[in-house]
Amino acid sequence: MLEGAAILGRILGVTRLYVGIEINKRDAIAALEQYAGDYGVEVIPLKVQYPQGSEKQLINAITGRVVPAGGLPMDAHCVVQNVGTAAALTAAVKQGIPLVERIVTVTGEVVKYPGNFRLKIGTPVLEAVRFAGGVTEEPGKLILGGPMMGFAQRTFQVPVAKNTSGILLLPERRAVNFRSEGCIRCGRCVQGCPMKLVTCMLANAIEAERYDLAEQNHVMDCLECGSCAYVCPAKRPLVQHMRRAKAEIRRNRQLAAAAAGGKK
Ligand code: SF4
Ligand code: SF4
């Protein structure tokens, strides 16, 4: 990973390389600090908070810079890459090995031996769970990714993909199917949003399919962290609304660009 970071730094011509790790991962910090200097990388212990791993949060926590609304890391003169990408880069550049495997966290109350596993891309999820010792009881829900940002799956017949960071299995009693109620205007979603978005109003606009209003009110800055949906007492599917709006806006932009291209 450190070597991959150095390769990336050379390709991009950057002057400083950092790896951010939450401060409670002391063993990982100590392990990286042993070698980081050899690759010109500085290890930065970060406050433990959620969300911390998104690029805008990382840039702010490490450099103090702020990515402007609607902007990209480049606007703050930064590039953020995943540690898995950095490690894969070393394998590709030094050994000519394409991305054929990745580290996947297989976890959840019902998993017998939860842990991190190096799995081939395409490994069936059921096989990965078997590799982790199988289950202690019938799982009620499968989520690919983490508990906050992951995607619930309709079926267990899915494979590990290059973006599968985790496999989370919940027991039936935790896989609650709740009904969404109307907004009670408590403001908890607004208080909880790390991007300072007025989430409840955005959700109203999106429910009315007013994606133009959502765009004007910065929905594209949403990290999809799920904090708003987590704290909402009315159980509104807020993060799902944000994802839908972002996808619609991107699609509309592509259509507009294609139409503009056709006119030239
Ligand atoms: S998912 Fe919700 S809390 Fe997280 S950034 Fe988006 S609107 Fe804000
Ligand atoms: S947390 Fe839920 S109920 Fe409260 S203001 Fe936000 S959307 Fe409405």
Side-chain angles (χ1 to χ4, degrees):
M1 186 265 283
L2 290 169
E3 200 167 9
I7 294 169
L8 268 170
R10 199 168 150 198
I11 293 169
L12 297 169
V14 300
T15 49
R16 291 186 202 149
L17 294 164
Y18 303 102
V19 177
I21 311 181
E22 283 183 321
I23 201 158
N24 61 348
K25 317 288 186 296
R26 292 192 186 280
D27 48 352
I29 293 173
L32 277 178
E33 275 178 341
Q34 275 186 57
Y35 305 104
D38 300 345
Y39 296 93
V41 177
E42 202 179 323
V43 180
I44 309 283
L46 300 172
K47 190 175 157 191
V48 181
Q49 65 177 19
Y50 182 82
Q52 182 65 286
S54 74
E55 49 190 25
K56 289 176 185 171
Q57 261 67 31
L58 273 177
I59 289 170
N60 187 251
I62 293 177
T63 69
R65 297 179 199 169
V66 176
V67 178
L72 294 170
M74 284 300 274
D75 298 318
H77 305 285
C78 294
V79 174
V80 181
Q81 286 296 342
N82 191 284
V83 290
T85 305
L89 191 68
T90 305
V93 171
K94 292 195 74 180
Q95 295 157 285
I97 301 174
L99 186 66
V100 291
E101 59 184 23
R102 64 160 297 147
I103 307 288
V104 180
T105 303
V106 183
T107 190
E109 270 178 70
V110 304
V111 177
K112 202 163 181 188
Y113 302 117
N116 296 323
F117 300 92
R118 187 185 293 276
L119 300 176
K120 294 277 183 278
I121 309 289
T123 303
V125 160
L126 284 176
E127 204 53 47
V129 174
R130 248 178 242 139
F131 202 53
V135 292
T136 51
E137 63 181 276
E138 193 62 29
K141 194 173 211 174
L142 164 66
I143 294 173
L144 292 188
M148 295 292 279
M149 295 182 73
F151 287 84
Q153 305 295 307
R154 285 181 188 276
T155 167
F156 284 72
Q157 306 295 328
V158 284
V160 168
K162 69 174 183 178
N163 60 350
T164 309
S165 57
I167 296 171
L168 175 62
L169 292 179
L170 302 181
E172 189 68 53
R173 64 184 178 282
R174 291 218 187 273
V176 189
N177 285 317
F178 46 76
R179 227 186 46 206
S180 162
E181 307 283 347
C183 175
I184 58 167
R185 303 188 182 199
C186 64
R188 287 171 70 178
C189 56
V190 181
Q191 283 170 356
C193 178
M195 297 308 292
K196 304 191 180 357
L197 299 176
V198 186
T199 316
C200 47
M201 303 300 282
L202 277 173
N204 293 347
I206 297 161
E207 281 172 1
E209 301 194 354
R210 289 293 309 271
Y211 302 116
D212 56 330
L213 273 184
E215 190 173 8
Q216 281 165 27
N217 287 286
H218 309 292
V219 71
M220 297 309 277
D221 286 333
C222 168
L223 308 171
E224 302 178 24
C225 67
S227 303
C228 50
Y230 185 75
V231 297
C232 177
K235 300 288 175 210
R236 293 179 81 191
L238 298 171
V239 65
Q240 289 83 352
H241 282 339
M242 304 304 146
R243 281 178 182 150
R244 182 156 57 90
K246 288 171 73 178
E248 282 292 335
I249 293 164
R250 277 195 209 103
R251 197 173 65 93
N252 290 341
R253 285 179 183 174
Q254 281 168 0
L255 289 174
K263 278 185 195 154
K264 278 181 194 165

